[in-house]
Every structure is written in structure tokens, then in C-alpha cells.
């Protein structure tokens, strides 16, 4: 992920590039293992809403959010080759939950992991409503709850969110060595994918579908729309902030239409 000026945040162009890279790696017979990392000081600042959400009818917006969110995580879940996440710095939101859908996660010492869903007033995503409990038990609830517990690389390894932590300068060489060791082991490649030890991919795909629907519902709530307008305004992003303010102001007019649309799906 190479957009350090935006902290490698997932804008629409970034996501399209990511999808293309995964597709190319899947088709390339010489690629046996994929390592995902970031450039600069951040691994990834998560989804950049101002760069992905555009003005449209609420029913279309709901469908876009659900479909887009589901595609992001399905890309990781359905990828047929082993995936290693090499977390080189802070990771936020979806970039955290997607690491748990990889086979193995290594972090540098400067890495941190933040999933502020409860603070933002949205439900968990990236299968974290199920997967975090499997990986971490009560520590997963701390990360997903209002506390928004943000473990360091060392803490993340201790609680089970990641597999290991290494000095920052050794991160990519360690990921490369691990990938090459897997390639040299035919049994490891033939055994197929797991998601940090969780092997029921079909279940996680269903969880992702349900979470994506819940997330789309939450994104059209007055609480979330207002919070986003205030946040974007505080960052000087006037036009994106205005989009959310218009949605809040007109919500009494379109919410009944949206509710009717939802009930017919």
C-alpha cells in the first residue's frame, strides 16, 4: 500500500489498486505467497470515507456501502494463496480486521492496532464480531468496545491478534523468509488457507455478509452522519462535510423511502 501522504488510507483508487494486485497475484503461477505491507510510517489508516462515499440516493448509498464493504473482506477471505500481513506501523479499522483474515500476521515494534467501531457508532466489520473472540477472547471485546483498547505490536502478539513482533528493520526480511519457507514446504502450500488459525472460510463469508448489511444500516443513521460531518469539518474537509450535513438535514424526507426499500429487500 503506497500512499504515505494519506497514511495509506483506503480511498477508492487505493482499493481498486489493491483488488487489481490481488487478482494479478492469483493469476500469476509464479506467485506462491503474498505479503501485504505499507510504505511510510503507517500500515494503513483504514477506509477514507471522504474518498469513497459520494452523493447519491439513500437506497443506492446503502447498497453501495454493503456491496463495497463485503467485497473488501471477501477479497481476503476468498484469495486462494497464503497471505502474510507485515504491519509496519499503526493500523486502523478495516486494515486491522483484514490482517486477521490473512494466514499469518507479523508486526514491527512501532505497530499499533485500533478498531474504534463503538466510538464511531458503527457495528464491527471484517468478521470481527466472531473472529476477535476466537482469536483473543475478552481482549477482543476490549478492542471492539467503547474502550477501543489499542494494543502495541508486543501486546498484540501476547493476546493473539498477531503471530509475532519483530524490530521494525527486520519486518520485511522476516516476512520474506517466512514466505520462502512455506514455498519450500509442499505440505504447507497444499493445506490451503486459514485465517490466523480459523479454517471455516464459508462461515466467515456469511458473517461478512451480515456485518456488511448491519454496517450499511448504521451508516445511514442520524448519529453516524452527524458525527462524520463534524469530524470532516474539523479536518477542514468542507465539501465532504457538507455532503453529510445535507444527508442529516434531509433525512426526515428520505428515511421513510429508505425504510420502505429495506423492508422489500
Amino acid at each position: 500500500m503506497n500512499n504515505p501522504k494519506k497514511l495509506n488510507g483506503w480511498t477508492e483508487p487505493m482499493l481498486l489498486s489493491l483488488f487489481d494486485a490481488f487478482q494479478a497475484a492469483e493469476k500469476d503461477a509464479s506467485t506462491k505467497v503474498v505479503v501485504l505491507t505499507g510504505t511510510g510510517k503507517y500500515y494503513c489508516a483504514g477506509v477514507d470515507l471522504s474518498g469513497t462515499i459520494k452523493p447519491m440516493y439513500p437506497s443506492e448509498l446503502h447498497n453501495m456501502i454493503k456491496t463495497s464493504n463485503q467485497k473488501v473482506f471477501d477479497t481476503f477471505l476468498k484469495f486462494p494463496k497464503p497471505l502474510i500481513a507485515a504491519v509496519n506501523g499503526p493500523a486502523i479499522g478495516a486494515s486491522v480486521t483484514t490482517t486477521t483474515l490473512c494466514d499469518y500476521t507479523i508486526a514491527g515494534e512501532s505497530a499499533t492496532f485500533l478498531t474504534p467501531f463503538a466510538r464511531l457508532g458503527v457495528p464491527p466489520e471484517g468478521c470481527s464480531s466472531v473472529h476477535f473472540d476466537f482469536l483473543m477472547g475478552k481482549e477482543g471485546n476490549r478492542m471492539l468496545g467503547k474502550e477501543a483498547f489499542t494494543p502495541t505490536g508486543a501486546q498484540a502478539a501476547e493476546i493473539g491478534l498477531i503471530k509475532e513482533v519483530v524490530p521494525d528493520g527486520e519486518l520485511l526480511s522476516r516476512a520474506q523468509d517466512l514466505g520462502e519457507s512455506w514455498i519450500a514446504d509442499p505440505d504447507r502450500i497444499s493445506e490451503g488457507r486459514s485465517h490466523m488459525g480459523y479454517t471455516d472460510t464459508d462461515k466467515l463469508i456469511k458473517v461478512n455478509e451480515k456485518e456488511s448489511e448491519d454496517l450499511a444500516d448504521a451508516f445511514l443513521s442520524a448519529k453516524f452522519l452527524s458525527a462524520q460531518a463534524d469530524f470532516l469539518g474539523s479536518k477542514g474537509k468542507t465539501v465532504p462535510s457538507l455532503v453529510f450535513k445535507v444527508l442529516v438535514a434531509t433525512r426526515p424526507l428520505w428515511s421513510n423511502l429508505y425504510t420502505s426499500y429495506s423492508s422489500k429487500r
Side-chain angles (χ1 to χ4, degrees), residues 142-175:
R142 290 181 65 198
M143 289 186 67
L144 294 175
K146 291 184 178 180
E147 179 186 352
F149 170 51
T150 308
T152 62
Q155 290 171 325
E158 183 179 349
I159 64 178
L161 177 63
I162 67 173
K163 291 295 188 181
E164 61 179 289
V165 60
V166 298
D168 289 339
E170 300 175 12
L171 177 65
L172 293 184
S173 61
R174 170 58 184 145

Side-chain angles (χ1 to χ4, degrees), residues 76-131:
F76 284 78
L77 287 166
K78 296 179 180 180
F79 189 71
K81 300 177 181 181
L83 278 169
I84 299 171
V87 183
N88 58 291
I92 300 173
S95 71
V96 176
T97 54
T98 49
T99 66
T100 70
L101 305 181
C102 296
D103 296 77
Y104 200 97
T105 300
I106 310 167
E109 291 176 331
S110 65
T112 56
F113 299 85
L114 172 63
T115 51
F117 307 130
R119 289 184 180 179
L120 294 174
V122 296
E125 39 86 305
C127 304
S128 58
S129 65
V130 169
H131 204 198

Side-chain angles (χ1 to χ4, degrees), residues 72-265:
V72 168
F73 301 108
D74 275 352
T75 297
F76 284 78
L77 287 166
K78 296 179 180 180
F79 189 71
K81 300 177 181 181
L83 278 169
I84 299 171
V87 183
N88 58 291
I92 300 173
S95 71
V96 176
T97 54
T98 49
T99 66
T100 70
L101 305 181
C102 296
D103 296 77
Y104 200 97
T105 300
I106 310 167
E109 291 176 331
S110 65
T112 56
F113 299 85
L114 172 63
T115 51
F117 307 130
R119 289 184 180 179
L120 294 174
V122 296
E125 39 86 305
C127 304
S128 58
S129 65
V130 169
H131 204 198
F132 271 31
D133 182 65
F134 169 79
L135 292 174
M136 298 175 282
K138 65 179 182 180
E139 299 297 340
N141 293 330
R142 290 181 65 198
M143 289 186 67
L144 294 175
K146 291 184 178 180
E147 179 186 352
F149 170 51
T150 308
T152 62
Q155 290 171 325
E158 183 179 349
I159 64 178
L161 177 63
I162 67 173
K163 291 295 188 181
E164 61 179 289
V165 60
V166 298
D168 289 339
E170 300 175 12
L171 177 65
L172 293 184
S173 61
R174 170 58 184 145
Q176 181 74 17
D177 289 345
L178 178 63
E180 291 181 4
S181 72
W182 288 356
I183 294 170
D185 180 0
D187 291 337
R188 174 61 187 85
I189 296 298
S190 64
E191 72 184 20
R193 292 289 315 282
S194 78
H195 313 287
M196 293 288 289
Y198 193 101
T199 58
D200 192 346
T201 299
D202 289 340
K203 179 177 180 178
L204 292 181
I205 289 172
K206 292 178 181 178
V207 170
N208 180 35
E209 182 179 10
K210 176 62 166 60
E211 287 180 346
S212 296
E213 182 77 30
D214 293 343
L215 187 71
D217 290 344
F219 269 33
L220 290 179
S221 68
K223 178 181 178 181
F224 178 80
L225 295 172
S226 296
Q228 285 301 306
D230 292 343
F231 173 76
L232 292 168
S234 70
K235 298 295 183 180
K237 298 181 178 181
T238 306
V239 173
S241 175
L242 183 60
V243 170
F244 284 97
K245 287 181 178 179
V246 169
L247 285 170
V248 172
T250 59
R251 194 175 188 282
L253 300 176
W254 56 256
S255 59
N256 288 335
L257 293 175
Y258 162 67
T259 301
S260 176
Y261 168 82
S262 298
S263 65
K264 292 178 181 178
R265 283 183 289 123

Side-chain angles (χ1 to χ4, degrees), residues 52-54 56 60-69:
T52 55
I53 293 182
K54 299 176 176 62
M56 61 184 73
E60 294 176 358
L61 179 59
H62 183 279
N63 185 63
M64 185 275 288
I65 293 169
K66 178 185 182 296
T67 302
S68 298
N69 190 79

